[in-house]
Amino acid sequence: MNFSSAALARIIPFAAFMGLLALRGFLPENQHLDPRWIYGLSVLVVGGLLAWYWREYGELVRQNLPNRRETLWSIGVGLIVFGLWIHLDAPWMQLGEPTASFLPLDAEGRLIWSLVVLRWIGAALIVPVMEELFWRSYLMRWVESPKFETVDPMRIGLKAIVLSTFVFMLAHTLWLAAIIAGLAYAWLYVRTGKLWTAVIAHAVTNGVLGLWVIHSGQWQFW
C-alpha cells in the first residue's frame, strides 16, 4: 500500500508515540533507567515530528480556527467528556487489565514535578493534536475514501464515525468512556468541519483530567 505524504504525516507521529509507549514494558527495572521518562521522550519525539510535518496539516492553518461559538462548544464538550471519563470506571467498563498507574513519586513519596509537568504538557498540548490528526483527520476520512484529503469533514458518514470510534476504543482501557469521547470529538469535527474543534475539546479533557489527577492523586486515570 502506497501512502501519500499527507497520510504519512498523520500516521508516523501516532505510530512513533504508540511504539515508544510500548517500549516501557520491555525496559529492565534498574536504578539507572526509569521507564516513567519514556512518556517525556515520546512527547519530545512527537512534538518534533509534528513540527517537521506541519506544512502537511492544512486543516490546522490559522484560517481554519473556530469562531467564538465553536470554541465554547468545544470547551463544553471537553468538560463533559472529562466528567464522564472519571466516573465510567466500573470493572465492566474496562477493556482488559488496567494499565499500570503512572506514579510520579520518589522513594519518599514526594511528587517529582519535572515528571508531572512534562506529562501534563504532553497530554494537554501534544497528544490532542497528534491523536486528532490521526483518528479524525486521517482515519475517519480514509474510511470514506483512500484519497482522504479530498473528503469534506462535514460529509463524513455514520460508517466512518462508528468504525473510527471503535478502533479508538480499542486503544483505551476505559472502553465506554473512550466510545463517548470518540463520538464527541467526531461530532465536533463533522458538525463544524474544523479539526481545531476536536483538538480543543480533546485538549480540555486531557488538561483538566491532568489537573484533577494531580489534585486528587487518582493516578490510575493518567
Side-chain angles (χ1 to χ4, degrees):
M1 179 183 295
N2 293 323
F3 292 99
S4 66
S5 59
L8 290 174
R10 289 158 172 78
I11 294 171
I12 290 177
F14 180 81
F17 183 77
M18 299 302 292
L20 285 169
L21 289 188
L23 181 64
R24 287 183 303 179
F26 298 96
L27 291 177
E29 292 187 8
N30 60 67
Q31 59 182 347
H32 303 294
L33 189 62
D34 190 340
R36 292 176 297 182
W37 286 103
I38 292 294
Y39 189 93
L41 174 62
S42 305
V43 168
L44 293 176
V45 170
V46 170
L49 288 170
L50 292 175
W52 177 265
Y53 286 119
W54 194 256
R55 292 184 179 180
E56 295 286 351
Y57 307 141
E59 289 177 284
L60 298 181
V61 297
R62 182 175 298 180
Q63 291 85 342
N64 289 329
L65 286 171
N67 58 38
R68 182 178 299 178
R69 183 171 180 271
E70 292 166 340
T71 299
L72 290 175
W73 267 106
S74 302
I75 294 172
V77 168
L79 291 173
I80 290 171
V81 172
F82 156 73
L84 293 173
W85 194 278
I86 63 175
H87 289 98
L88 298 178
D89 63 336
W92 68 271
M93 300 175 184
Q94 299 182 26
L95 185 66
E97 295 295 325
T99 55
S101 298
F102 171 74
L103 295 173
L105 306 175
D106 62 18
E108 286 74 38
R110 296 171 300 191
L111 280 176
I112 305 173
W113 280 104
S114 53
L115 272 175
V116 171
V117 171
L118 189 57
R119 188 175 181 94
W120 187 87
I121 290 174
L125 302 180
I126 304 297
V127 169
V129 176
M130 176 224 23
E131 288 209 24
E132 293 310 312
L133 281 167
F134 178 77
W135 295 113
R136 256 56 70 178
S137 177
Y138 172 66
L139 189 60
M140 277 179 58
R141 293 195 293 170
W142 180 84
V143 172
E144 292 288 343
S145 170
K147 296 181 179 179
F148 76 97
E149 306 102 311
T150 66
V151 176
D152 181 351
M154 300 183 77
R155 295 187 179 276
I156 292 175
L158 182 62
K159 180 180 73 171
I161 294 173
V162 171
L163 286 178
S164 62
T165 300
F166 177 76
V167 181
F168 180 76
M169 174 203 73
L170 295 178
H172 296 80
T173 301
L174 298 176
W175 65 267
L176 183 56
I179 287 177
I180 293 172
L183 290 175
Y185 303 151
W187 175 78
L188 281 170
Y189 183 42
V190 174
R191 178 69 177 79
T192 65
K194 298 176 180 178
L195 189 64
W196 273 118
T197 56
V199 170
I200 291 171
H202 200 151
V204 168
T205 299
N206 286 8
V208 177
L209 178 63
L211 295 176
W212 177 81
V213 166
I214 294 168
H215 176 73
S216 66
Q218 300 292 322
W219 302 107
Q220 70 272 18
F221 286 95
W222 226 19

PDB file of all heavy atoms in Angstrom, residues 115-126:
ATOM      1  N   LEU A 115       8.506  15.309  36.168  1.00  0.00           N
ATOM      2  CA  LEU A 115       7.717  14.266  35.512  1.00  0.00           C
ATOM      3  C   LEU A 115       6.269  14.712  35.334  1.00  0.00           C
ATOM      4  O   LEU A 115       5.665  14.505  34.281  1.00  0.00           O
ATOM      5  CB  LEU A 115       7.756  12.977  36.340  1.00  0.00           C
ATOM      6  CG  LEU A 115       8.889  11.989  36.104  1.00  0.00           C
ATOM      7  CD1 LEU A 115       8.802  10.852  37.117  1.00  0.00           C
ATOM      8  CD2 LEU A 115       8.850  11.430  34.695  1.00  0.00           C
ATOM      9  N   VAL A 116       5.707  15.305  36.376  1.00  0.00           N
ATOM     10  CA  VAL A 116       4.306  15.724  36.345  1.00  0.00           C
ATOM     11  C   VAL A 116       4.076  16.775  35.264  1.00  0.00           C
ATOM     12  O   VAL A 116       3.148  16.669  34.448  1.00  0.00           O
ATOM     13  CB  VAL A 116       3.881  16.275  37.722  1.00  0.00           C
ATOM     14  CG1 VAL A 116       2.492  16.911  37.636  1.00  0.00           C
ATOM     15  CG2 VAL A 116       3.883  15.161  38.756  1.00  0.00           C
ATOM     16  N   VAL A 117       4.922  17.801  35.257  1.00  0.00           N
ATOM     17  CA  VAL A 117       4.751  18.902  34.296  1.00  0.00           C
ATOM     18  C   VAL A 117       4.934  18.410  32.868  1.00  0.00           C
ATOM     19  O   VAL A 117       4.149  18.766  31.966  1.00  0.00           O
ATOM     20  CB  VAL A 117       5.743  20.045  34.608  1.00  0.00           C
ATOM     21  CG1 VAL A 117       5.724  21.086  33.494  1.00  0.00           C
ATOM     22  CG2 VAL A 117       5.402  20.681  35.947  1.00  0.00           C
ATOM     23  N   LEU A 118       5.946  17.577  32.640  1.00  0.00           N
ATOM     24  CA  LEU A 118       6.183  17.068  31.295  1.00  0.00           C
ATOM     25  C   LEU A 118       5.022  16.219  30.813  1.00  0.00           C
ATOM     26  O   LEU A 118       4.600  16.320  29.654  1.00  0.00           O
ATOM     27  CB  LEU A 118       7.480  16.259  31.266  1.00  0.00           C
ATOM     28  CG  LEU A 118       8.003  15.835  29.885  1.00  0.00           C
ATOM     29  CD1 LEU A 118       8.206  17.047  28.990  1.00  0.00           C
ATOM     30  CD2 LEU A 118       9.301  15.051  30.024  1.00  0.00           C
ATOM     31  N   ARG A 119       4.478  15.403  31.707  1.00  0.00           N
ATOM     32  CA  ARG A 119       3.340  14.571  31.309  1.00  0.00           C
ATOM     33  C   ARG A 119       2.108  15.424  31.033  1.00  0.00           C
ATOM     34  O   ARG A 119       1.364  15.173  30.086  1.00  0.00           O
ATOM     35  CB  ARG A 119       3.037  13.523  32.384  1.00  0.00           C
ATOM     36  CG  ARG A 119       1.991  12.505  31.920  1.00  0.00           C
ATOM     37  CD  ARG A 119       1.795  11.409  32.926  1.00  0.00           C
ATOM     38  NE  ARG A 119       0.822  10.434  32.479  1.00  0.00           N
ATOM     39  CZ  ARG A 119       1.098   9.320  31.837  1.00  0.00           C
ATOM     40  NH1 ARG A 119       2.354   9.030  31.545  1.00  0.00           N
ATOM     41  NH2 ARG A 119       0.147   8.481  31.472  1.00  0.00           N
ATOM     42  N   TRP A 120       1.878  16.457  31.876  1.00  0.00           N
ATOM     43  CA  TRP A 120       0.704  17.298  31.657  1.00  0.00           C
ATOM     44  C   TRP A 120       0.820  18.054  30.336  1.00  0.00           C
ATOM     45  O   TRP A 120      -0.149  18.136  29.578  1.00  0.00           O
ATOM     46  CB  TRP A 120       0.545  18.293  32.805  1.00  0.00           C
ATOM     47  CG  TRP A 120      -0.736  19.070  32.700  1.00  0.00           C
ATOM     48  CD1 TRP A 120      -1.958  18.700  33.197  1.00  0.00           C
ATOM     49  CD2 TRP A 120      -0.919  20.320  32.036  1.00  0.00           C
ATOM     50  NE1 TRP A 120      -2.902  19.656  32.877  1.00  0.00           N
ATOM     51  CE2 TRP A 120      -2.286  20.660  32.166  1.00  0.00           C
ATOM     52  CE3 TRP A 120      -0.073  21.183  31.347  1.00  0.00           C
ATOM     53  CZ2 TRP A 120      -2.820  21.824  31.624  1.00  0.00           C
ATOM     54  CZ3 TRP A 120      -0.599  22.348  30.804  1.00  0.00           C
ATOM     55  CH2 TRP A 120      -1.962  22.661  30.955  1.00  0.00           C
ATOM     56  N   ILE A 121       1.994  18.605  30.046  1.00  0.00           N
ATOM     57  CA  ILE A 121       2.197  19.318  28.785  1.00  0.00           C
ATOM     58  C   ILE A 121       1.949  18.387  27.600  1.00  0.00           C
ATOM     59  O   ILE A 121       1.284  18.752  26.624  1.00  0.00           O
ATOM     60  CB  ILE A 121       3.617  19.913  28.722  1.00  0.00           C
ATOM     61  CG1 ILE A 121       3.749  21.074  29.712  1.00  0.00           C
ATOM     62  CG2 ILE A 121       3.948  20.382  27.307  1.00  0.00           C
ATOM     63  CD1 ILE A 121       5.148  21.622  29.825  1.00  0.00           C
ATOM     64  N   GLY A 122       2.484  17.174  27.686  1.00  0.00           N
ATOM     65  CA  GLY A 122       2.284  16.218  26.601  1.00  0.00           C
ATOM     66  C   GLY A 122       0.829  15.858  26.412  1.00  0.00           C
ATOM     67  O   GLY A 122       0.310  15.867  25.288  1.00  0.00           O
ATOM     68  N   ALA A 123       0.147  15.562  27.526  1.00  0.00           N
ATOM     69  CA  ALA A 123      -1.252  15.126  27.455  1.00  0.00           C
ATOM     70  C   ALA A 123      -2.185  16.239  27.002  1.00  0.00           C
ATOM     71  O   ALA A 123      -3.165  15.992  26.301  1.00  0.00           O
ATOM     72  CB  ALA A 123      -1.690  14.586  28.816  1.00  0.00           C
ATOM     73  N   ALA A 124      -1.896  17.473  27.418  1.00  0.00           N
ATOM     74  CA  ALA A 124      -2.814  18.578  27.140  1.00  0.00           C
ATOM     75  C   ALA A 124      -2.522  19.302  25.836  1.00  0.00           C
ATOM     76  O   ALA A 124      -3.440  19.872  25.230  1.00  0.00           O
ATOM     77  CB  ALA A 124      -2.790  19.578  28.296  1.00  0.00           C
ATOM     78  N   LEU A 125      -1.262  19.290  25.383  1.00  0.00           N
ATOM     79  CA  LEU A 125      -0.904  20.106  24.225  1.00  0.00           C
ATOM     80  C   LEU A 125      -0.442  19.301  23.007  1.00  0.00           C
ATOM     81  O   LEU A 125      -0.775  19.653  21.875  1.00  0.00           O
ATOM     82  CB  LEU A 125       0.201  21.101  24.619  1.00  0.00           C
ATOM     83  CG  LEU A 125      -0.136  22.060  25.770  1.00  0.00           C
ATOM     84  CD1 LEU A 125       1.047  22.974  26.057  1.00  0.00           C
ATOM     85  CD2 LEU A 125      -1.382  22.867  25.450  1.00  0.00           C
ATOM     86  N   ILE A 126       0.323  18.249  23.220  1.00  0.00           N
ATOM     87  CA  ILE A 126       0.882  17.490  22.098  1.00  0.00           C
ATOM     88  C   ILE A 126      -0.040  16.349  21.655  1.00  0.00           C
ATOM     89  O   ILE A 126      -0.368  16.215  20.469  1.00  0.00           O
ATOM     90  CB  ILE A 126       2.275  16.922  22.454  1.00  0.00           C
ATOM     91  CG1 ILE A 126       3.217  18.040  22.890  1.00  0.00           C
ATOM     92  CG2 ILE A 126       2.843  16.136  21.272  1.00  0.00           C
ATOM     93  CD1 ILE A 126       3.502  19.055  21.820  1.00  0.00           C
TER      94      ILE A 126
END
